[in-house]
Amino acid sequence: MSDTKSGDDNTLSVTPKKTLTLKRPGMEQGTVRQNFSHGRTKQVVVETKKRKFSMPGDKPEPVAAPVFTPKPAVVAATVVVPEAPKAPPPPPAPVERSGMVLNELSRSEMEARRRALEGSKVREVEDRQRAAEDAKRRAEDEERRKRERDESARRQAEEEARLQTEAESRRRAEEEARRRAPLAAELATVDDEEVAKPKRVGAGAPVRRPVTPEVARPAKPTKAEEDRRRGKLTLNSALSDEDARARSLSSMRRRQEKFKRAMHNEPREKVMREVILPETITIQELAQRMSERAVDLVKFFMKQGQILKPGDVIDADTAELVATEFGHTVRRVAESDIEEGLFNIADNAEDLVSRPPVVTIMGHVDHGKTSLLDAIRNANVVSGEAGGITQHIGAYQVEKNGHKITFIDTPGHAAFTAMRARGAQATDIAILVVAADDSVMPQTIESISHAKAAGVPIIVAINKIDKHDADPQKVRSELLRHEVFVESMGGEVLDVEVSATKGTNLDKLLEAILLQAEILDLKANPDRTAEGVVIEAQLDKGRGPVATVLVQTGTLMPGDILVAGNEWGRVRALVNDRGVQIKEAPPAMPVEVLGLQGTPQAGDRFAVVNNEARAREITEYRQRLAREKAVAKHAGQRGSLEQMMSQLQTSGLKEFPLVIKGDVQGSIEAINAALDKLGTDEVRARIVHAGAGAITESDVSLAETSGAAIIGFNVRANVQARAAAAAAGIEIRYYSIIYNLVDDVKAALSGLLSPERRETFIGNAQILEIFDITKVGKIAGCRVTEGKVERGAGVRLIRDNVVIHEGTLKTLKRFKDEVSEVPGGQECGMAFQNYEDMRVGDVIECFRVEMVTRTL
């Protein structure tokens, strides 16, 4: 081998020895340059060999191994490029060269080409068959998917039809059960606990279904339908194949529509709505009711030149303009419409059943009303009242001959007039208790007026007939003057002579009540939501706000959502007049209700609503109204500090501030009414705060700030409140009888009254002569014509019956001596303090001024 170097291309050429080279004639060599990426190239040596084609049947020529001739840095490859013959030559004789036959090589190549051609044809046929099979399989898949979609749509339609059929059958079953309910109630013989409660209807009826006859229930849905209608997709259900949830048909349809809109950039179809507008509304709430974006409303206001936020409040007129601009229709409602359907819901005549009568006991103080009720109930109610005076309204229920009677005991004291009026309005029958030894009194007359105003019948109970000075006939005669005509005097009013202490004729009184109730034919619908009136409310230390209510219609149950006045709450427990928790309160039953948010006012109406949202909305509206009324009431009383000071100087009104805490709301109202009557143009009691419950530290702080006194009626202060009151020097007074409280406040108000200036006439003297004395001045010589004249008393100078001067005497002399007084008929000399314009014939009137303490 020989190595040669080229200086230009730095290539190394390796030339094999000629002895090793096998080069046959007919071989041509050439070089081909190949180009690659990044500028790389490669040279390839190509050898071309001319072949002779032989006819079939010739012996094949053995093929020699290719010979590679390497060059420096060049990869050499032998590429056999057969040259097509220009014309088919005659078959030559076989030529043997180095033991290889050329015609054998040509036959083998022809056989390989033939086999390759046949293989390509077979592969082409197979490819066409495979493409046809793929097209057929795709068509089958498309057909199967179409059948599945049709089957899903059919199942959806069947499901909707099944649900509609089920709802229709349920509605027919409920109508059938409602039509058969009276007959089923008569035929029912099972225990009361086992009988299901009937369905209640009304403003806030919770879903309590009545007992209905068995109806054919629809078949349960299949597993595929259950899978399709099942709830939310969770991680576990998504990972498990058996619980996989498929999309519903509606969801797929919505998704396709959304995709189409996104592809074609189509706007969503606008839905026109009827927007309900209250008196005021926020922009965010308005946008929600219109199903618009709050941002669009804000942009609309910005175009109008107003910068508003979504939380800003606009009035109904502005909201109507905005809604109309966005293409919606508007329906204006008043804010008070939220109370519509709360009370006075009409009942069907077939739903009404008999209910117990509600009886109110009324009359003058100490005529024996509570003692009479005590005798009826066989319970000592009077012992619990201070001084034997009923301070609250008590409601109780008794039973007579299998019939229940509800009693409401109203106080007879004049301060409880408002409470008694509320008691009369919530009642069916009024029992007028008149003492046989005391006859008709002022509160008796008021009770008659309240009963007549409420339009309820009266039963006269002439009490204390066991006393020796009892005169029932006198009572009947005096009742005639107030248009109460008893049966024995030719009228229609029932009267019964009773004795509460001896228990005389109590049965007759109960029979008279039942007779009157039978005449009235009292009915109510128990299968609806409850309505009624609050008789009393108090703040109990352990139980919170407790309201004594009288259910007038419907049935009240634990769990009901109650709205009473400005307060609401979920009924936590119902307690009857015996202190026992009960499961329901039917019509005409008094119960204590636990669970309210606060203490309502005595006399407020209550009703049951269906959810907490409506209860909160109603109470917020009522509280806002109450605040607005309070602001309007005191608007004229407020003003600047100068106006307040000028009013005090001109009016001279003195106030006695008080903080009043009582056990129940009714007592506080009675105290407020009694103290209001004590006020005059000069002094009055100003109640800074009044509430039910014990005296707390906040009450002491309020009293310290306002300089008020604290009054506790049947309540006490806790330890912290007592310590704070002692530190602040605030007096806390406790009372249990309203007489003593009113008397003490009256005495305190009397102390605020300025003393009265009382003038007492002493005598007259006539001027006879005027003496002018040097260094002394003018002195009038007078004769006392009436009474006497005293030194130091007040005097007036009267000329022609007109008062010229009023002052005091400087000197009073009898001859030359100073005297203290001059009796009538005698003469004296008088001189005025700082006044000398006196004439002969003037009259001097002498009087004494006294400051007398005043009382209310």
Side-chain angles (χ1 to χ4, degrees):
M1 293 179 69
S2 62
D3 297 340
T4 59
K5 266 188 184 179
S6 173
D8 297 334
D9 52 1
N10 282 334
T11 59
L12 178 65
S13 299
V14 179
T15 307
K17 291 182 180 181
K18 291 185 178 182
T19 58
L20 298 179
T21 302
L22 179 61
K23 187 166 182 178
R24 295 187 298 271
M27 297 286 291
E28 295 180 1
Q29 291 186 348
T31 304
V32 177
R33 179 183 294 274
Q34 293 182 338
N35 295 324
F36 298 96
S37 62
H38 304 289
R40 291 182 295 128
T41 61
K42 185 170 68 174
Q43 288 184 353
V44 180
V45 177
V46 181
E47 292 182 357
T48 305
K49 178 175 63 175
K50 296 183 179 179
R51 291 179 181 175
K52 294 182 180 180
F53 294 93
S54 60
M55 295 301 291
D58 295 339
K59 208 171 183 179
E61 182 182 354
V63 182
V67 179
F68 292 89
T69 304
K71 294 184 73 175
V74 175
V75 179
T78 301
V79 179
V80 179
V81 181
E83 290 184 357
K86 298 179 182 177
V95 181
E96 292 186 0
R97 185 176 295 164
S98 300
M100 291 184 294
V101 184
L102 292 177
N103 58 356
E104 289 290 331
L105 180 65
S106 300
R107 281 197 295 271
S108 64
E109 278 196 8
M110 290 296 290
E111 184 68 21
R113 288 187 178 185
R114 185 181 58 79
R115 287 198 301 268
L117 183 62
E118 291 176 355
S120 65
K121 289 181 179 179
V122 171
R123 282 195 301 274
E124 184 179 354
V125 171
E126 291 177 354
D127 290 341
R128 282 199 296 270
Q129 291 177 353
R130 193 178 296 113
E133 291 175 357
D134 291 343
K136 182 179 179 182
R137 187 168 56 253
R138 282 197 299 271
E140 290 176 353
D141 291 343
E142 183 65 27
E143 184 68 21
R144 181 176 51 81
R145 282 196 292 270
K146 182 178 179 181
R147 285 198 304 271
E148 288 178 355
R149 286 196 297 270
D150 295 342
E151 181 67 18
S152 176
R154 185 183 62 79
R155 282 202 303 268
Q156 178 78 11
E158 290 179 355
E159 180 67 18
E160 292 177 355
R162 185 186 65 80
L163 292 177
Q164 185 174 0
T165 306
E166 182 181 356
E168 184 67 22
S169 63
R170 190 184 300 114
R171 185 182 63 80
R172 285 199 299 268
E174 290 177 357
E175 291 179 355
E176 182 69 18
R178 196 178 299 112
R179 189 165 60 251
R180 295 182 181 179
L183 180 59
E186 294 178 3
L187 298 178
T189 56
V190 294
D191 285 333
D192 293 341
E193 290 81 4
E194 296 177 357
V195 178
K197 294 181 177 60
K199 185 176 179 182
R200 304 163 63 199
V201 296
V207 180
R208 295 191 177 102
R209 294 180 179 171
V211 176
T212 58
E214 287 293 331
V215 295
R217 297 190 177 181
K220 293 184 65 174
T222 61
K223 188 174 187 309
E225 293 176 353
E226 287 182 351
D227 290 343
R228 187 172 57 81
R229 294 171 56 84
R230 201 166 48 236
K232 294 183 179 179
L233 182 67
T234 61
L235 186 61
N236 294 332
S237 62
L239 294 177
S240 60
D241 294 335
E242 61 209 26
D243 293 336
R245 186 184 65 146
R247 276 182 175 271
S248 67
L249 191 62
S250 301
S251 175
M252 295 292 293
R253 190 179 296 115
R254 287 194 300 269
R255 186 177 180 184
Q256 290 176 359
E257 290 177 357
K258 184 177 180 181
F259 180 72
K260 288 179 181 178
R261 285 198 304 270
M263 290 293 294
H264 299 285
N265 200 12
E266 295 178 358
R268 186 164 186 164
E269 183 180 358
K270 188 176 180 64
V271 180
M272 302 303 175
R273 301 182 180 274
E274 184 184 32
V275 183
I276 299 176
L277 295 181
E279 296 174 2
T280 57
I281 190 173
T282 62
I283 294 178
Q284 182 72 40
E285 178 69 19
L286 179 61
Q288 291 177 358
R289 296 189 182 188
M290 294 193 304
S291 297
E292 304 281 353
R293 296 190 307 166
V295 179
D296 296 337
L297 270 69
V298 172
K299 290 179 180 178
F300 174 77
F301 280 108
M302 290 179 66
K303 291 179 182 178
Q304 306 299 324
Q306 299 182 21
I307 307 299
L308 297 177
K309 301 185 297 297
D312 291 342
V313 179
I314 57 177
D315 58 2
D317 294 335
T318 307
E320 184 175 359
L321 290 175
V322 174
T324 307
E325 189 69 24
F326 277 81
H328 302 283
T329 57
V330 173
R331 181 161 65 92
R332 297 277 289 269
V333 294
E335 202 171 6
S336 58
D337 290 346
I338 61 175
E339 293 189 354
E340 284 187 0
L342 191 62
F343 297 110
N344 303 324
I345 302 173
D347 294 316
N348 296 326
E350 59 269 14
D351 296 335
L352 300 178
V353 296
S354 297
R355 65 169 177 85
V358 180
V359 180
T360 299
I361 299 182
M362 310 171 78
H364 190 69
V365 62
D366 199 26
H367 273 202
K369 301 179 300 301
T370 308
S371 300
L372 182 61
L373 183 60
D374 177 26
I376 294 173
R377 314 178 51 227
N378 297 321
N380 193 358
V381 180
V382 175
S383 61
E385 301 287 358
I389 303 172
T390 308
Q391 308 289 332
H392 334 127
I393 292 183
Y396 316 97
Q397 200 166 46
V398 300
E399 191 166 343
K400 169 70 174 175
N401 297 334
H403 299 282
K404 292 183 178 180
I405 303 173
T406 300
F407 284 95
I408 298 179
D409 181 24
T410 59
H413 186 257
F416 294 88
T417 302
M419 292 172 62
R420 186 168 60 248
R422 281 198 294 268
Q425 289 165 2
T427 190
D428 303 315
I429 301 171
I431 294 183
L432 185 64
V433 180
V434 186
D437 60 341
D438 207 9
S439 193
V440 178
M441 298 301 286
Q443 274 78 47
T444 310
I445 301 171
E446 286 185 16
S447 301
I448 295 172
S449 301
H450 290 312
K452 288 185 176 180
V456 295
I458 298 175
I459 296 177
V460 178
I462 304 175
N463 197 13
K464 303 183 181 180
I465 61 170
D466 56 318
K467 290 195 173 184
H468 65 280
D469 55 347
D471 189 359
Q473 196 60 33
K474 179 185 176 184
V475 174
R476 295 186 179 96
S477 301
E478 291 193 3
L479 288 174
L480 290 176
R481 293 188 295 174
H482 303 288
E483 298 181 356
V484 177
F485 306 105
V486 298
E487 282 187 336
S488 58
M489 306 291 286
E492 297 181 354
V493 178
L494 299 175
D495 65 305
V496 183
E497 296 180 7
V498 297
S499 172
T501 56
K502 303 293 183 181
T504 308
N505 292 338
L506 295 182
D507 292 340
K508 290 185 178 179
L509 179 61
L510 295 177
E511 288 174 1
I513 294 172
L514 293 176
L515 175 62
Q516 188 68 55
E518 189 177 348
I519 295 172
L520 293 175
D521 191 21
L522 304 170
K523 290 186 177 182
N525 180 13
D527 303 331
R528 51 159 291 179
T529 53
E531 290 181 21
V533 65
V534 178
I535 298 175
E536 191 50 82
Q538 61 184 356
L539 188 63
D540 193 275
K541 184 177 181 181
R543 300 185 296 171
V546 179
T548 303
V549 303
L550 176 67
V551 181
Q552 293 177 318
T553 184
T555 303
L556 186 63
M557 298 183 182
D560 287 345
I561 300 172
L562 202 70
V563 174
N566 295 344
E567 305 294 339
W568 73 278
R570 187 181 292 274
V571 179
R572 197 169 65 243
L574 297 175
V575 182
N576 63 7
D577 57 327
R578 303 287 181 179
V580 180
Q581 284 201 18
I582 57 177
K583 295 298 182 183
E584 61 178 17
M589 185 173 187
V591 287
E592 284 187 339
V593 176
L594 280 68
L596 292 176
Q597 303 285 336
T599 54
Q601 300 293 323
D604 287 340
R605 296 184 66 186
F606 78 85
V608 173
V609 296
N610 52 0
N611 53 37
E612 293 185 4
R614 187 171 184 216
R616 195 177 293 110
E617 190 177 8
I618 292 173
T619 51
E620 287 176 356
Y621 164 69
R622 292 180 175 178
Q623 289 170 1
R624 187 166 62 250
L625 276 187
R627 285 195 300 268
E628 291 173 356
K629 287 182 180 178
V631 168
K633 180 180 179 182
H634 298 291
Q637 301 177 3
R638 293 201 304 266
S640 63
L641 185 62
E642 295 178 358
Q643 293 174 349
M644 294 173 63
M645 295 300 293
S646 63
Q647 286 178 2
L648 285 175
Q649 291 176 358
T650 55
S651 63
L653 178 64
K654 296 180 180 179
E655 293 182 335
F656 182 37
L658 292 173
V659 173
I660 300 176
K661 295 303 287 290
D663 54 347
V664 294
Q665 196 71 33
S667 301
I668 295 169
E669 289 187 4
I671 293 170
N672 290 348
L675 296 184
D676 282 342
K677 292 181 181 178
L678 294 179
T680 63
D681 295 338
E682 299 181 41
V683 293
R684 70 180 179 92
R686 180 169 63 90
I687 299 174
V688 179
H689 172 67
I695 301 172
T696 60
E697 283 185 279
S698 61
D699 298 325
V700 177
S701 302
L702 179 60
E704 183 180 5
T705 305
S706 57
I710 300 177
I711 291 178
F713 187 77
N714 284 336
V715 294
R716 292 293 182 269
N718 54 30
V719 179
Q720 295 83 359
R722 286 199 299 269
I730 295 174
E731 181 184 11
I732 301 178
R733 292 216 174 179
Y734 302 111
Y735 298 93
S736 58
I737 298 178
I738 197 169
Y739 292 129
N740 300 339
L741 186 151
V742 173
D743 291 342
D744 284 1
V745 175
K746 186 176 181 180
L749 291 177
S750 299
L752 293 178
L753 287 173
S754 57
E756 182 181 359
R757 184 176 180 274
R758 187 173 298 173
E759 185 179 294
T760 304
F761 174 75
I762 300 176
N764 283 340
Q766 189 174 11
I767 299 177
L768 304 178
E769 190 67 44
I770 300 296
F771 302 98
D772 195 354
I773 299 175
T774 307
K775 297 183 181 179
V776 177
K778 291 185 178 181
I779 295 178
C782 308
R783 179 186 291 117
V784 180
T785 57
E786 185 179 356
K788 61 181 180 179
V789 177
E790 295 178 354
R791 186 175 60 186
V795 290
R796 294 190 185 93
L797 182 64
I798 299 174
R799 183 179 301 159
D800 297 331
N801 294 324
V802 177
V803 177
I804 303 300
H805 173 69
E806 182 175 344
T808 57
L809 285 178
K810 182 172 68 174
T811 178
L812 177 62
K813 289 188 177 184
R814 173 78 175 149
F815 298 104
K816 292 185 178 182
D817 300 327
E818 286 282 343
V819 293
S820 58
E821 65 177 33
V822 177
Q826 296 185 2
E827 295 182 356
C828 61
M830 288 186 287
F832 288 92
Q833 189 79 30
N834 300 326
Y835 190 78
E836 294 184 348
D837 186 16
M838 297 174 290
R839 299 180 186 176
V840 178
D842 290 348
V843 176
I844 298 175
E845 180 185 292
C846 186
F847 59 91
R848 186 187 301 114
V849 177
E850 296 175 347
M851 304 304 290
V852 181
T853 303
R854 298 163 58 201
T855 58
L856 288 174

